[in-house]
Amino acid sequence: MTEPIKLLLADDQALVRGALAALLSLEPDLTVVAEVGRGDEVVAEARRTDPDVALLDVEMPGLDGIAAAAALRAALPACRVLMVTTFGRPGYLRRAMEAGANGFVVKDTPARQLAEAVRRVHAGLRVVDPTLAAETLATGASPLTERETGVLRAARDGGTVADLAGALHLSEGTVRNHLSAAIGKTGARNRAEAVRIAEQNGWLLGD
């Protein structure tokens, strides 16, 4: 009999992680060998348990899932990576594939389809949620520069231009210029809308 496919699950929500583990364990050819709740625990746990496929959430404490995917691919190239996330944002898919992920599906994927996605990824195939793939092609890569992205990230929590300038160690004029450029590039009417649009497209993931 063929050895079951060994899985590592990484998700900061214990209930979601437990439900995924329970559903996937019902499949006779799949076995969950590890569960972690932080992105910075993925590589160490994978080294300890040697999974065939790692299922990673995108947004986790310690290290986001996309950075964890890149670290895992570097540390254990034989381990395949399937991103399983609530946040089906086009920018996330593009960055995940660039980081070496082999697949990207959303959490409301039916259990049978998720199990099949694991098998396909394990077999060396690429699996991508079709709706998200279409949205990613339509949206394209982020139009924002690294500095504009950083300013919008800082602006997520509100605060004045002076507050942002202090936090980013930039002049107020520079912050205003970056905010103005980001508002123009996202087609937004104001700073808050620019943040929302960039967030929805997955352009603000990171520190």
Side-chain angles (χ1 to χ4, degrees):
M1 187 175 166
T2 312
E3 287 286 313
I5 300 168
K6 296 180 292 181
L7 308 179
L8 177 148
L9 307 182
D11 193 303
D12 62 330
Q13 296 179 43
L15 279 173
V16 173
R17 197 171 67 241
L20 271 178
L23 286 169
L24 292 169
S25 295
L26 293 173
E27 300 290 328
D29 59 336
L30 305 179
T31 181
V32 176
V33 296
E35 295 180 43
V36 297
R38 295 175 56 89
D40 52 7
E41 295 172 349
V42 169
V43 170
E45 192 64 13
R47 282 202 168 109
R48 190 181 72 79
T49 57
D50 192 29
D52 299 307
V53 179
L55 286 79
L56 309 182
D57 186 22
V58 171
E59 296 197 351
M60 291 187 287
L63 197 67
D64 69 67
I66 292 172
L72 184 56
R73 295 291 287 159
L76 294 168
C79 181
R80 316 287 291 177
V81 175
L82 178 62
M83 307 301 299
V84 184
T85 182
T86 308
F87 302 98
R89 294 171 181 163
Y92 286 3
L93 171 58
R94 188 179 298 277
R95 289 187 56 193
M97 292 308 179
E98 288 170 355
N102 307 103
F104 197 111
V105 296
V106 290
K107 282 181 185 168
D108 58 7
T109 300
R112 193 176 295 267
Q113 285 181 29
L114 180 59
E116 190 55 34
V118 169
R119 294 182 190 106
R120 289 171 66 83
V121 161
H122 179 250
L125 301 172
R126 181 158 284 194
V127 177
V128 177
D129 179 88
T131 304
L132 193 55
E135 287 176 1
T136 299
L137 288 172
T139 306
S142 173
L144 303 171
T145 65
E146 192 174 335
R147 189 51 64 81
E148 288 159 5
T149 302
V151 170
L152 277 191
R153 276 190 201 126
R156 279 189 292 204
D157 301 322
T160 64
V161 168
D163 293 333
L164 298 179
L168 297 167
H169 309 293
L170 298 171
S171 73
E172 290 184 29
T174 299
V175 169
R176 283 195 190 93
N177 288 342
H178 287 314
L179 282 172
S180 177
I183 288 166
K185 287 179 180 179
T186 56
R189 289 168 296 185
N190 53 46
R191 181 173 95 178
E193 190 176 15
V195 169
R196 182 178 57 76
I197 290 168
E199 189 95 68
Q200 286 173 344
N201 284 304
W203 295 337
L204 299 188
L205 187 66
D207 299 329

PDB file of all heavy atoms in Angstrom, residues 33-75:
ATOM      1  N   VAL A  33       0.662  15.452  10.068  1.00  0.00           N
ATOM      2  CA  VAL A  33       1.775  15.121  10.971  1.00  0.00           C
ATOM      3  C   VAL A  33       2.184  16.301  11.841  1.00  0.00           C
ATOM      4  O   VAL A  33       2.929  16.138  12.802  1.00  0.00           O
ATOM      5  CB  VAL A  33       3.005  14.606  10.188  1.00  0.00           C
ATOM      6  CG1 VAL A  33       2.686  13.292   9.490  1.00  0.00           C
ATOM      7  CG2 VAL A  33       3.515  15.638   9.177  1.00  0.00           C
ATOM      8  N   ALA A  34       1.707  17.515  11.502  1.00  0.00           N
ATOM      9  CA  ALA A  34       2.095  18.689  12.288  1.00  0.00           C
ATOM     10  C   ALA A  34       1.085  19.813  12.108  1.00  0.00           C
ATOM     11  O   ALA A  34       0.498  19.966  11.039  1.00  0.00           O
ATOM     12  CB  ALA A  34       3.483  19.172  11.865  1.00  0.00           C
ATOM     13  N   GLU A  35       0.900  20.599  13.186  1.00  0.00           N
ATOM     14  CA  GLU A  35       0.053  21.791  13.156  1.00  0.00           C
ATOM     15  C   GLU A  35       0.783  22.911  13.885  1.00  0.00           C
ATOM     16  O   GLU A  35       1.318  22.696  14.972  1.00  0.00           O
ATOM     17  CB  GLU A  35      -1.280  21.539  13.860  1.00  0.00           C
ATOM     18  CG  GLU A  35      -2.171  20.506  13.210  1.00  0.00           C
ATOM     19  CD  GLU A  35      -3.478  20.335  13.978  1.00  0.00           C
ATOM     20  OE1 GLU A  35      -4.060  21.365  14.393  1.00  0.00           O
ATOM     21  OE2 GLU A  35      -3.895  19.182  14.184  1.00  0.00           O
ATOM     22  N   VAL A  36       0.832  24.093  13.287  1.00  0.00           N
ATOM     23  CA  VAL A  36       1.444  25.258  13.943  1.00  0.00           C
ATOM     24  C   VAL A  36       0.513  26.454  13.787  1.00  0.00           C
ATOM     25  O   VAL A  36      -0.310  26.503  12.879  1.00  0.00           O
ATOM     26  CB  VAL A  36       2.841  25.593  13.372  1.00  0.00           C
ATOM     27  CG1 VAL A  36       3.815  24.448  13.612  1.00  0.00           C
ATOM     28  CG2 VAL A  36       2.774  25.950  11.886  1.00  0.00           C
ATOM     29  N   GLY A  37       0.667  27.430  14.700  1.00  0.00           N
ATOM     30  CA  GLY A  37      -0.190  28.605  14.678  1.00  0.00           C
ATOM     31  C   GLY A  37       0.531  29.888  14.316  1.00  0.00           C
ATOM     32  O   GLY A  37      -0.055  30.964  14.327  1.00  0.00           O
ATOM     33  N   ARG A  38       1.831  29.759  13.996  1.00  0.00           N
ATOM     34  CA  ARG A  38       2.628  30.946  13.646  1.00  0.00           C
ATOM     35  C   ARG A  38       3.480  30.654  12.411  1.00  0.00           C
ATOM     36  O   ARG A  38       3.970  29.546  12.234  1.00  0.00           O
ATOM     37  CB  ARG A  38       3.563  31.324  14.800  1.00  0.00           C
ATOM     38  CG  ARG A  38       2.884  31.773  16.069  1.00  0.00           C
ATOM     39  CD  ARG A  38       3.914  31.998  17.179  1.00  0.00           C
ATOM     40  NE  ARG A  38       4.933  32.960  16.769  1.00  0.00           N
ATOM     41  CZ  ARG A  38       4.837  34.280  16.944  1.00  0.00           C
ATOM     42  NH1 ARG A  38       3.769  34.793  17.520  1.00  0.00           N
ATOM     43  NH2 ARG A  38       5.804  35.088  16.554  1.00  0.00           N
ATOM     44  N   GLY A  39       3.665  31.686  11.604  1.00  0.00           N
ATOM     45  CA  GLY A  39       4.483  31.516  10.405  1.00  0.00           C
ATOM     46  C   GLY A  39       5.939  31.228  10.690  1.00  0.00           C
ATOM     47  O   GLY A  39       6.606  30.512   9.934  1.00  0.00           O
ATOM     48  N   ASP A  40       6.456  31.767  11.812  1.00  0.00           N
ATOM     49  CA  ASP A  40       7.870  31.553  12.118  1.00  0.00           C
ATOM     50  C   ASP A  40       8.139  30.189  12.764  1.00  0.00           C
ATOM     51  O   ASP A  40       9.275  29.871  13.128  1.00  0.00           O
ATOM     52  CB  ASP A  40       8.436  32.682  12.990  1.00  0.00           C
ATOM     53  CG  ASP A  40       7.604  32.948  14.234  1.00  0.00           C
ATOM     54  OD1 ASP A  40       6.655  32.181  14.511  1.00  0.00           O
ATOM     55  OD2 ASP A  40       7.893  33.939  14.940  1.00  0.00           O
ATOM     56  N   GLU A  41       7.095  29.370  12.908  1.00  0.00           N
ATOM     57  CA  GLU A  41       7.275  28.004  13.432  1.00  0.00           C
ATOM     58  C   GLU A  41       7.273  26.961  12.310  1.00  0.00           C
ATOM     59  O   GLU A  41       7.551  25.788  12.553  1.00  0.00           O
ATOM     60  CB  GLU A  41       6.135  27.668  14.413  1.00  0.00           C
ATOM     61  CG  GLU A  41       6.130  28.532  15.670  1.00  0.00           C
ATOM     62  CD  GLU A  41       4.886  28.303  16.526  1.00  0.00           C
ATOM     63  OE1 GLU A  41       3.939  27.643  16.048  1.00  0.00           O
ATOM     64  OE2 GLU A  41       4.866  28.784  17.670  1.00  0.00           O
ATOM     65  N   VAL A  42       6.958  27.399  11.092  1.00  0.00           N
ATOM     66  CA  VAL A  42       6.755  26.457   9.983  1.00  0.00           C
ATOM     67  C   VAL A  42       8.012  25.657   9.663  1.00  0.00           C
ATOM     68  O   VAL A  42       7.990  24.421   9.591  1.00  0.00           O
ATOM     69  CB  VAL A  42       6.244  27.200   8.722  1.00  0.00           C
ATOM     70  CG1 VAL A  42       6.300  26.288   7.497  1.00  0.00           C
ATOM     71  CG2 VAL A  42       4.827  27.702   8.947  1.00  0.00           C
ATOM     72  N   VAL A  43       9.134  26.332   9.446  1.00  0.00           N
ATOM     73  CA  VAL A  43      10.346  25.637   8.984  1.00  0.00           C
ATOM     74  C   VAL A  43      10.850  24.652  10.033  1.00  0.00           C
ATOM     75  O   VAL A  43      11.174  23.503   9.704  1.00  0.00           O
ATOM     76  CB  VAL A  43      11.442  26.652   8.585  1.00  0.00           C
ATOM     77  CG1 VAL A  43      12.771  25.931   8.346  1.00  0.00           C
ATOM     78  CG2 VAL A  43      11.029  27.416   7.333  1.00  0.00           C
ATOM     79  N   ALA A  44      10.914  25.081  11.295  1.00  0.00           N
ATOM     80  CA  ALA A  44      11.415  24.194  12.356  1.00  0.00           C
ATOM     81  C   ALA A  44      10.540  22.944  12.485  1.00  0.00           C
ATOM     82  O   ALA A  44      11.048  21.819  12.610  1.00  0.00           O
ATOM     83  CB  ALA A  44      11.465  24.940  13.689  1.00  0.00           C
ATOM     84  N   GLU A  45       9.213  23.134  12.423  1.00  0.00           N
ATOM     85  CA  GLU A  45       8.301  21.992  12.553  1.00  0.00           C
ATOM     86  C   GLU A  45       8.390  21.088  11.318  1.00  0.00           C
ATOM     87  O   GLU A  45       8.295  19.859  11.433  1.00  0.00           O
ATOM     88  CB  GLU A  45       6.871  22.498  12.757  1.00  0.00           C
ATOM     89  CG  GLU A  45       5.884  21.439  13.187  1.00  0.00           C
ATOM     90  CD  GLU A  45       6.185  20.826  14.549  1.00  0.00           C
ATOM     91  OE1 GLU A  45       7.030  21.373  15.293  1.00  0.00           O
ATOM     92  OE2 GLU A  45       5.581  19.791  14.859  1.00  0.00           O
ATOM     93  N   ALA A  46       8.580  21.687  10.154  1.00  0.00           N
ATOM     94  CA  ALA A  46       8.726  20.891   8.933  1.00  0.00           C
ATOM     95  C   ALA A  46      10.016  20.072   8.972  1.00  0.00           C
ATOM     96  O   ALA A  46      10.034  18.913   8.548  1.00  0.00           O
ATOM     97  CB  ALA A  46       8.722  21.804   7.708  1.00  0.00           C
ATOM     98  N   ARG A  47      11.077  20.654   9.498  1.00  0.00           N
ATOM     99  CA  ARG A  47      12.336  19.906   9.629  1.00  0.00           C
ATOM    100  C   ARG A  47      12.155  18.722  10.577  1.00  0.00           C
ATOM    101  O   ARG A  47      12.731  17.652  10.378  1.00  0.00           O
ATOM    102  CB  ARG A  47      13.440  20.829  10.160  1.00  0.00           C
ATOM    103  CG  ARG A  47      14.020  21.757   9.097  1.00  0.00           C
ATOM    104  CD  ARG A  47      15.413  22.220   9.515  1.00  0.00           C
ATOM    105  NE  ARG A  47      16.100  22.879   8.407  1.00  0.00           N
ATOM    106  CZ  ARG A  47      16.340  24.169   8.349  1.00  0.00           C
ATOM    107  NH1 ARG A  47      15.941  24.964   9.317  1.00  0.00           N
ATOM    108  NH2 ARG A  47      16.999  24.692   7.329  1.00  0.00           N
ATOM    109  N   ARG A  48      11.322  18.919  11.609  1.00  0.00           N
ATOM    110  CA  ARG A  48      11.118  17.871  12.616  1.00  0.00           C
ATOM    111  C   ARG A  48      10.242  16.746  12.089  1.00  0.00           C
ATOM    112  O   ARG A  48      10.469  15.569  12.396  1.00  0.00           O
ATOM    113  CB  ARG A  48      10.484  18.491  13.868  1.00  0.00           C
ATOM    114  CG  ARG A  48      10.441  17.572  15.077  1.00  0.00           C
ATOM    115  CD  ARG A  48       9.784  18.250  16.264  1.00  0.00           C
ATOM    116  NE  ARG A  48       8.345  18.403  16.097  1.00  0.00           N
ATOM    117  CZ  ARG A  48       7.466  17.418  16.282  1.00  0.00           C
ATOM    118  NH1 ARG A  48       7.878  16.202  16.610  1.00  0.00           N
ATOM    119  NH2 ARG A  48       6.170  17.637  16.116  1.00  0.00           N
ATOM    120  N   THR A  49       9.229  17.079  11.269  1.00  0.00           N
ATOM    121  CA  THR A  49       8.225  16.081  10.872  1.00  0.00           C
ATOM    122  C   THR A  49       8.310  15.643   9.414  1.00  0.00           C
ATOM    123  O   THR A  49       7.657  14.680   9.024  1.00  0.00           O
ATOM    124  CB  THR A  49       6.810  16.623  11.144  1.00  0.00           C
ATOM    125  OG1 THR A  49       6.640  17.868  10.432  1.00  0.00           O
ATOM    126  CG2 THR A  49       6.589  16.872  12.626  1.00  0.00           C
ATOM    127  N   ASP A  50       9.081  16.380   8.594  1.00  0.00           N
ATOM    128  CA  ASP A  50       9.303  16.019   7.189  1.00  0.00           C
ATOM    129  C   ASP A  50       8.004  15.803   6.405  1.00  0.00           C
ATOM    130  O   ASP A  50       7.769  14.727   5.850  1.00  0.00           O
ATOM    131  CB  ASP A  50      10.181  14.765   7.111  1.00  0.00           C
ATOM    132  CG  ASP A  50      10.693  14.509   5.690  1.00  0.00           C
ATOM    133  OD1 ASP A  50      10.857  15.487   4.930  1.00  0.00           O
ATOM    134  OD2 ASP A  50      10.897  13.335   5.328  1.00  0.00           O
ATOM    135  N   PRO A  51       7.136  16.839   6.315  1.00  0.00           N
ATOM    136  CA  PRO A  51       5.883  16.677   5.567  1.00  0.00           C
ATOM    137  C   PRO A  51       6.113  16.659   4.061  1.00  0.00           C
ATOM    138  O   PRO A  51       7.133  17.169   3.564  1.00  0.00           O
ATOM    139  CB  PRO A  51       5.080  17.923   5.967  1.00  0.00           C
ATOM    140  CG  PRO A  51       6.135  18.952   6.251  1.00  0.00           C
ATOM    141  CD  PRO A  51       7.288  18.197   6.847  1.00  0.00           C
ATOM    142  N   ASP A  52       5.163  16.086   3.336  1.00  0.00           N
ATOM    143  CA  ASP A  52       5.215  16.113   1.865  1.00  0.00           C
ATOM    144  C   ASP A  52       4.609  17.399   1.330  1.00  0.00           C
ATOM    145  O   ASP A  52       5.049  17.936   0.311  1.00  0.00           O
ATOM    146  CB  ASP A  52       4.425  14.925   1.294  1.00  0.00           C
ATOM    147  CG  ASP A  52       4.993  13.588   1.735  1.00  0.00           C
ATOM    148  OD1 ASP A  52       6.204  13.373   1.548  1.00  0.00           O
ATOM    149  OD2 ASP A  52       4.226  12.776   2.282  1.00  0.00           O
ATOM    150  N   VAL A  53       3.550  17.876   2.006  1.00  0.00           N
ATOM    151  CA  VAL A  53       2.857  19.093   1.582  1.00  0.00           C
ATOM    152  C   VAL A  53       2.574  19.948   2.821  1.00  0.00           C
ATOM    153  O   VAL A  53       2.105  19.434   3.835  1.00  0.00           O
ATOM    154  CB  VAL A  53       1.520  18.776   0.871  1.00  0.00           C
ATOM    155  CG1 VAL A  53       0.808  20.067   0.449  1.00  0.00           C
ATOM    156  CG2 VAL A  53       1.745  17.890  -0.350  1.00  0.00           C
ATOM    157  N   ALA A  54       2.866  21.246   2.713  1.00  0.00           N
ATOM    158  CA  ALA A  54       2.522  22.189   3.785  1.00  0.00           C
ATOM    159  C   ALA A  54       1.365  23.060   3.327  1.00  0.00           C
ATOM    160  O   ALA A  54       1.415  23.630   2.233  1.00  0.00           O
ATOM    161  CB  ALA A  54       3.728  23.058   4.124  1.00  0.00           C
ATOM    162  N   LEU A  55       0.307  23.144   4.143  1.00  0.00           N
ATOM    163  CA  LEU A  55      -0.834  24.006   3.855  1.00  0.00           C
ATOM    164  C   LEU A  55      -0.701  25.240   4.729  1.00  0.00           C
ATOM    165  O   LEU A  55      -0.761  25.146   5.962  1.00  0.00           O
ATOM    166  CB  LEU A  55      -2.153  23.288   4.146  1.00  0.00           C
ATOM    167  CG  LEU A  55      -2.570  22.203   3.141  1.00  0.00           C
ATOM    168  CD1 LEU A  55      -1.800  20.912   3.380  1.00  0.00           C
ATOM    169  CD2 LEU A  55      -4.061  21.929   3.240  1.00  0.00           C
ATOM    170  N   LEU A  56      -0.469  26.396   4.122  1.00  0.00           N
ATOM    171  CA  LEU A  56      -0.159  27.615   4.862  1.00  0.00           C
ATOM    172  C   LEU A  56      -1.232  28.679   4.675  1.00  0.00           C
ATOM    173  O   LEU A  56      -1.655  28.950   3.546  1.00  0.00           O
ATOM    174  CB  LEU A  56       1.185  28.190   4.390  1.00  0.00           C
ATOM    175  CG  LEU A  56       2.395  27.257   4.335  1.00  0.00           C
ATOM    176  CD1 LEU A  56       3.636  28.039   3.881  1.00  0.00           C
ATOM    177  CD2 LEU A  56       2.657  26.607   5.686  1.00  0.00           C
ATOM    178  N   ASP A  57      -1.631  29.312   5.786  1.00  0.00           N
ATOM    179  CA  ASP A  57      -2.493  30.482   5.709  1.00  0.00           C
ATOM    180  C   ASP A  57      -1.617  31.677   5.319  1.00  0.00           C
ATOM    181  O   ASP A  57      -0.399  31.655   5.530  1.00  0.00           O
ATOM    182  CB  ASP A  57      -3.152  30.717   7.076  1.00  0.00           C
ATOM    183  CG  ASP A  57      -4.187  31.827   7.047  1.00  0.00           C
ATOM    184  OD1 ASP A  57      -4.701  32.131   5.949  1.00  0.00           O
ATOM    185  OD2 ASP A  57      -4.486  32.392   8.109  1.00  0.00           O
ATOM    186  N   VAL A  58      -2.214  32.719   4.744  1.00  0.00           N
ATOM    187  CA  VAL A  58      -1.422  33.896   4.348  1.00  0.00           C
ATOM    188  C   VAL A  58      -1.108  34.775   5.551  1.00  0.00           C
ATOM    189  O   VAL A  58       0.056  35.116   5.793  1.00  0.00           O
ATOM    190  CB  VAL A  58      -2.157  34.718   3.269  1.00  0.00           C
ATOM    191  CG1 VAL A  58      -1.425  36.046   3.023  1.00  0.00           C
ATOM    192  CG2 VAL A  58      -2.225  33.950   1.957  1.00  0.00           C
ATOM    193  N   GLU A  59      -2.120  35.128   6.323  1.00  0.00           N
ATOM    194  CA  GLU A  59      -1.919  36.090   7.414  1.00  0.00           C
ATOM    195  C   GLU A  59      -1.754  35.362   8.742  1.00  0.00           C
ATOM    196  O   GLU A  59      -2.703  34.825   9.294  1.00  0.00           O
ATOM    197  CB  GLU A  59      -3.082  37.079   7.454  1.00  0.00           C
ATOM    198  CG  GLU A  59      -3.141  37.923   6.182  1.00  0.00           C
ATOM    199  CD  GLU A  59      -3.991  39.171   6.321  1.00  0.00           C
ATOM    200  OE1 GLU A  59      -4.678  39.312   7.352  1.00  0.00           O
ATOM    201  OE2 GLU A  59      -3.957  39.996   5.396  1.00  0.00           O
ATOM    202  N   MET A  60      -0.492  35.344   9.224  1.00  0.00           N
ATOM    203  CA  MET A  60      -0.165  34.696  10.494  1.00  0.00           C
ATOM    204  C   MET A  60       0.822  35.570  11.256  1.00  0.00           C
ATOM    205  O   MET A  60       1.579  36.325  10.652  1.00  0.00           O
ATOM    206  CB  MET A  60       0.484  33.325  10.253  1.00  0.00           C
ATOM    207  CG  MET A  60      -0.433  32.272   9.691  1.00  0.00           C
ATOM    208  SD  MET A  60       0.368  30.632   9.637  1.00  0.00           S
ATOM    209  CE  MET A  60       1.517  30.866   8.265  1.00  0.00           C
ATOM    210  N   PRO A  61       0.842  35.463  12.590  1.00  0.00           N
ATOM    211  CA  PRO A  61       1.834  36.203  13.367  1.00  0.00           C
ATOM    212  C   PRO A  61       3.222  35.605  13.182  1.00  0.00           C
ATOM    213  O   PRO A  61       3.373  34.463  12.759  1.00  0.00           O
ATOM    214  CB  PRO A  61       1.349  36.029  14.818  1.00  0.00           C
ATOM    215  CG  PRO A  61       0.534  34.772  14.800  1.00  0.00           C
ATOM    216  CD  PRO A  61      -0.093  34.704  13.439  1.00  0.00           C
ATOM    217  N   GLY A  62       4.229  36.399  13.488  1.00  0.00           N
ATOM    218  CA  GLY A  62       5.616  35.927  13.402  1.00  0.00           C
ATOM    219  C   GLY A  62       6.202  36.069  12.021  1.00  0.00           C
ATOM    220  O   GLY A  62       7.247  36.682  11.835  1.00  0.00           O
ATOM    221  N   LEU A  63       5.510  35.515  11.039  1.00  0.00           N
ATOM    222  CA  LEU A  63       5.954  35.552   9.646  1.00  0.00           C
ATOM    223  C   LEU A  63       4.724  35.288   8.796  1.00  0.00           C
ATOM    224  O   LEU A  63       3.969  34.364   9.079  1.00  0.00           O
ATOM    225  CB  LEU A  63       6.998  34.448   9.413  1.00  0.00           C
ATOM    226  CG  LEU A  63       7.891  34.516   8.180  1.00  0.00           C
ATOM    227  CD1 LEU A  63       8.838  35.710   8.252  1.00  0.00           C
ATOM    228  CD2 LEU A  63       8.699  33.224   8.051  1.00  0.00           C
ATOM    229  N   ASP A  64       4.480  36.111   7.777  1.00  0.00           N
ATOM    230  CA  ASP A  64       3.286  35.839   6.967  1.00  0.00           C
ATOM    231  C   ASP A  64       3.499  34.560   6.151  1.00  0.00           C
ATOM    232  O   ASP A  64       4.634  34.098   5.961  1.00  0.00           O
ATOM    233  CB  ASP A  64       2.928  37.036   6.078  1.00  0.00           C
ATOM    234  CG  ASP A  64       3.920  37.291   4.951  1.00  0.00           C
ATOM    235  OD1 ASP A  64       4.005  36.451   4.041  1.00  0.00           O
ATOM    236  OD2 ASP A  64       4.589  38.341   4.972  1.00  0.00           O
ATOM    237  N   GLY A  65       2.394  33.986   5.692  1.00  0.00           N
ATOM    238  CA  GLY A  65       2.459  32.695   5.015  1.00  0.00           C
ATOM    239  C   GLY A  65       3.283  32.707   3.746  1.00  0.00           C
ATOM    240  O   GLY A  65       3.910  31.701   3.388  1.00  0.00           O
ATOM    241  N   ILE A  66       3.315  33.840   3.047  1.00  0.00           N
ATOM    242  CA  ILE A  66       4.081  33.919   1.802  1.00  0.00           C
ATOM    243  C   ILE A  66       5.582  33.898   2.098  1.00  0.00           C
ATOM    244  O   ILE A  66       6.348  33.188   1.453  1.00  0.00           O
ATOM    245  CB  ILE A  66       3.660  35.164   0.996  1.00  0.00           C
ATOM    246  CG1 ILE A  66       2.215  34.977   0.505  1.00  0.00           C
ATOM    247  CG2 ILE A  66       4.602  35.402  -0.178  1.00  0.00           C
ATOM    248  CD1 ILE A  66       1.594  36.193  -0.135  1.00  0.00           C
ATOM    249  N   ALA A  67       5.989  34.640   3.135  1.00  0.00           N
ATOM    250  CA  ALA A  67       7.398  34.597   3.549  1.00  0.00           C
ATOM    251  C   ALA A  67       7.745  33.215   4.098  1.00  0.00           C
ATOM    252  O   ALA A  67       8.844  32.692   3.854  1.00  0.00           O
ATOM    253  CB  ALA A  67       7.665  35.669   4.606  1.00  0.00           C
ATOM    254  N   ALA A  68       6.810  32.603   4.815  1.00  0.00           N
ATOM    255  CA  ALA A  68       7.035  31.248   5.348  1.00  0.00           C
ATOM    256  C   ALA A  68       7.188  30.237   4.209  1.00  0.00           C
ATOM    257  O   ALA A  68       8.009  29.317   4.278  1.00  0.00           O
ATOM    258  CB  ALA A  68       5.884  30.839   6.259  1.00  0.00           C
ATOM    259  N   ALA A  69       6.404  30.434   3.130  1.00  0.00           N
ATOM    260  CA  ALA A  69       6.507  29.541   1.963  1.00  0.00           C
ATOM    261  C   ALA A  69       7.892  29.630   1.339  1.00  0.00           C
ATOM    262  O   ALA A  69       8.504  28.615   1.002  1.00  0.00           O
ATOM    263  CB  ALA A  69       5.437  29.902   0.933  1.00  0.00           C
ATOM    264  N   ALA A  70       8.389  30.861   1.204  1.00  0.00           N
ATOM    265  CA  ALA A  70       9.722  31.054   0.620  1.00  0.00           C
ATOM    266  C   ALA A  70      10.797  30.406   1.501  1.00  0.00           C
ATOM    267  O   ALA A  70      11.709  29.733   1.000  1.00  0.00           O
ATOM    268  CB  ALA A  70       9.999  32.542   0.438  1.00  0.00           C
ATOM    269  N   ALA A  71      10.674  30.593   2.818  1.00  0.00           N
ATOM    270  CA  ALA A  71      11.657  30.013   3.751  1.00  0.00           C
ATOM    271  C   ALA A  71      11.601  28.489   3.717  1.00  0.00           C
ATOM    272  O   ALA A  71      12.635  27.811   3.749  1.00  0.00           O
ATOM    273  CB  ALA A  71      11.375  30.522   5.171  1.00  0.00           C
ATOM    274  N   LEU A  72      10.400  27.948   3.619  1.00  0.00           N
ATOM    275  CA  LEU A  72      10.223  26.491   3.589  1.00  0.00           C
ATOM    276  C   LEU A  72      10.804  25.897   2.307  1.00  0.00           C
ATOM    277  O   LEU A  72      11.460  24.856   2.333  1.00  0.00           O
ATOM    278  CB  LEU A  72       8.741  26.150   3.726  1.00  0.00           C
ATOM    279  CG  LEU A  72       8.364  24.667   3.811  1.00  0.00           C
ATOM    280  CD1 LEU A  72       9.102  23.984   4.957  1.00  0.00           C
ATOM    281  CD2 LEU A  72       6.862  24.516   3.979  1.00  0.00           C
ATOM    282  N   ARG A  73      10.551  26.562   1.187  1.00  0.00           N
ATOM    283  CA  ARG A  73      11.078  26.073  -0.098  1.00  0.00           C
ATOM    284  C   ARG A  73      12.609  26.093  -0.093  1.00  0.00           C
ATOM    285  O   ARG A  73      13.251  25.223  -0.681  1.00  0.00           O
ATOM    286  CB  ARG A  73      10.543  26.927  -1.247  1.00  0.00           C
ATOM    287  CG  ARG A  73       9.044  26.846  -1.444  1.00  0.00           C
ATOM    288  CD  ARG A  73       8.581  25.492  -1.959  1.00  0.00           C
ATOM    289  NE  ARG A  73       8.927  25.289  -3.348  1.00  0.00           N
ATOM    290  CZ  ARG A  73       9.012  24.102  -3.951  1.00  0.00           C
ATOM    291  NH1 ARG A  73       8.788  23.011  -3.256  1.00  0.00           N
ATOM    292  NH2 ARG A  73       9.312  23.999  -5.220  1.00  0.00           N
ATOM    293  N   ALA A  74      13.192  27.091   0.581  1.00  0.00           N
ATOM    294  CA  ALA A  74      14.654  27.175   0.657  1.00  0.00           C
ATOM    295  C   ALA A  74      15.215  26.093   1.582  1.00  0.00           C
ATOM    296  O   ALA A  74      16.245  25.479   1.284  1.00  0.00           O
ATOM    297  CB  ALA A  74      15.068  28.561   1.155  1.00  0.00           C
ATOM    298  N   ALA A  75      14.519  25.841   2.702  1.00  0.00           N
ATOM    299  CA  ALA A  75      15.005  24.881   3.696  1.00  0.00           C
ATOM    300  C   ALA A  75      14.737  23.433   3.303  1.00  0.00           C
ATOM    301  O   ALA A  75      15.585  22.556   3.509  1.00  0.00           O
ATOM    302  CB  ALA A  75      14.365  25.175   5.050  1.00  0.00           C
TER     303      ALA A  75
END
